[in-house]
Structures are given as structure tokens and as C-alpha cells.
Amino acid sequence: MILCIEQAISADLLQEVHATLSDTSFQDGRKTAGWHAQTVKNNQQADGKDARIAKLRESITGELNRHPLFQMAARPRRLKPLMFSRYQSGMNYGNHVDDAIMPTPDGAMRTDLSFTLFLESPDTYEGGELLIDTTAGEQTYKLPAGALILYPSSTLHRVEPVTRGQRLAAVGWVQSQVRDPQQREILFDLDRTRRQMFEQDGKSQDFDIISKSLTNLLRMWAEV
């Protein structure tokens, strides 16, 4: 399942991100790539040791942890600290698949889902599209500032060359409570449906039955 979330963070936080990144040093992005991805990665990343970057990470993660759609789709157990990437004219990131296991401050985590939070308005730069290889062919995404795309970490994907302006984004990874992507999608559909039912009819008998099924499936499938 690939999901686009229109407004993943608030406008105030987006403004804070821009103000901070405009005054932050960036480093060669290949330093955080695996040995094979280094050959196709050509971007820059904000200095993760900067205290201001750490604050941004916490703020964005906090809003994602409170975002109902992100929580329903990802069922996060752990999130890897965000990285802020910058692509200037001529930069790109060729075809790659994200590492299955990534280091974290307290050990390591499995990556079930990847996400890109777009930070620049798409009309301010040319190129820089995220291309994801799916069974239906390559799908292209270039979302508004503040929007997020959530997709399986198992997919082959790339960032097309930027030809004008700059592409800013925050990228992150999720270890889900529900490892199986089909199970996550079933839970997402059930949760979304019961919320729609509640908005229309309140706490009805049908709502209670779907809530029971959702809860018991989560009990069967969750790893916590």
C-alpha cells in the first residue's frame, strides 16, 4: 500500500523547518548510504549532530505520532530518526532499495515502511520526482510542501535529477507493529471504515462489531 497524506505537519512547523534548514550546514549524502547505494546517491544531508536538527526531528516525529492517518496506516512500533535531504541542480538518487535493518541510537530496527515528507512547494523546483517501482509500473510523486508519502521499504525507488531550484525533504523509516503489509492494509481499511461509520451514525451496533474485529485482528497480528 502506498499512501499520500496531504498535510502531515502543521504550517507553523513547516515554517520552522525552512527557517532552520536555511541556516544549517549540509554534508555529502553518501556518508549515510550503504556501499552499493553510494554509487547512485548524489544529494546532501543536514548535519545530524546539530542540536537544532535534533529539535526538528522531535517536533516532526511528535506530529506524526499524533496524526491519525499516519498511525492507522503505519502502526509504528519504532521510528528511525529523520534525515533532512537537499537536492540542488544536477543532484539525484538512482535506483535503490532501503536497507532491511538500520542502526538506531539504541540498537537496530527492521524497516517495514519508508516515508518522504516534502518540504518545498513543487512549483519552486523542476525535476526531483520520487519514482516507485510497483507491479503496475513506475509511479511518480511530487507532493506539496508539508505532504508525506508512505510506502513499503521493500520497493525499488529513486529520485529524479533536479534541474532547477532545490528539493528539500525529510525521510524516515518505520518498524511497524504489524509486519505483514497485507495485514496492515486490512487493519487500515477496517479502521478507516469504522471511523467513517462513527462520523455518520455514532456508536452503533455495526460500529461495535467492526471495532471488535479490528481489535481482535490487531491482537492476533501485532508485535509489541
Side-chain angles (χ1 to χ4, degrees):
M1 182 174 71
I2 297 175
L3 179 69
C4 295
I5 300 177
E6 183 176 354
Q7 189 173 357
I9 62 173
S10 66
D12 288 343
L13 180 52
L14 181 61
Q15 186 175 7
E16 180 183 347
V17 170
H18 274 277
T20 302
L21 293 183
S22 66
D23 190 36
T24 298
S25 62
F26 282 77
Q27 304 171 337
D28 189 339
R30 287 175 293 185
K31 292 182 178 180
T32 59
W35 61 269
H36 53 91
Q38 290 179 4
T39 63
V40 295
K41 187 174 185 180
N42 178 24
N43 68 2
Q44 298 172 331
Q45 287 171 186
D47 184 359
K49 297 179 181 179
D50 189 325
R52 296 170 300 171
I53 296 300
K55 182 177 181 295
L56 283 186
R57 285 172 169 168
E58 292 177 2
S59 297
I60 293 175
T61 300
E63 291 205 358
L64 293 180
N65 283 333
R66 294 187 296 271
H67 198 291
L69 195 56
F70 183 85
Q71 292 295 307
M72 280 193 295
R75 303 277 169 183
R77 180 182 181 184
R78 301 175 70 184
L79 272 72
K80 181 174 172 61
L82 293 168
M83 293 195 300
F84 296 90
S85 64
R86 181 172 70 183
Y87 294 78
Q88 296 178 318
S89 183
M91 293 184 176
N92 72 307
Y93 197 164
N95 278 333
H96 65 284
V97 62
D98 293 335
D99 289 341
I101 306 295
M102 290 188 177
T104 64
D106 57 352
M109 59 173 267
R110 184 186 69 242
T111 57
D112 298 317
L113 294 160
S114 305
F115 63 87
T116 297
L117 173 64
F118 289 79
L119 301 174
E120 290 281 5
S121 177
D123 58 4
T124 64
Y125 65 100
E126 293 180 359
E129 298 87 353
L130 173 66
L131 270 72
I132 301 176
D133 189 21
T134 73
T135 55
E138 290 186 338
Q139 305 295 318
T140 303
Y141 300 91
K142 188 175 181 180
L143 304 184
L148 178 147
I149 180 169
L150 182 70
Y151 57 97
S153 298
S154 56
T155 56
L156 195 66
H157 55 280
R158 68 179 185 268
V159 176
E160 290 288 83
V162 171
T163 58
R164 179 184 65 86
Q166 71 172 8
R167 177 191 193 266
L168 284 177
V171 294
W173 296 267
V174 180
Q175 179 176 342
S176 178
Q177 294 176 338
V178 180
R179 181 171 184 164
D180 186 280
Q182 292 179 321
Q183 293 173 350
R184 281 200 307 272
E185 187 168 356
I186 290 170
L187 293 171
F188 176 73
D189 288 341
L190 284 173
D191 207 351
R192 184 174 54 175
T193 299
R194 73 167 185 151
R195 288 169 186 259
Q196 291 173 347
M197 292 173 61
F198 189 86
E199 290 177 1
Q200 294 175 1
D201 305 316
K203 192 175 182 299
S204 64
Q205 184 177 8
D206 290 340
F207 171 84
D208 287 341
I209 292 173
I210 290 182
S211 294
K212 174 189 173 185
S213 298
L214 171 66
T215 301
N216 288 333
L217 285 173
L218 185 59
R219 185 175 288 113
M220 290 170 59
W221 295 336
E223 302 171 6
V224 295

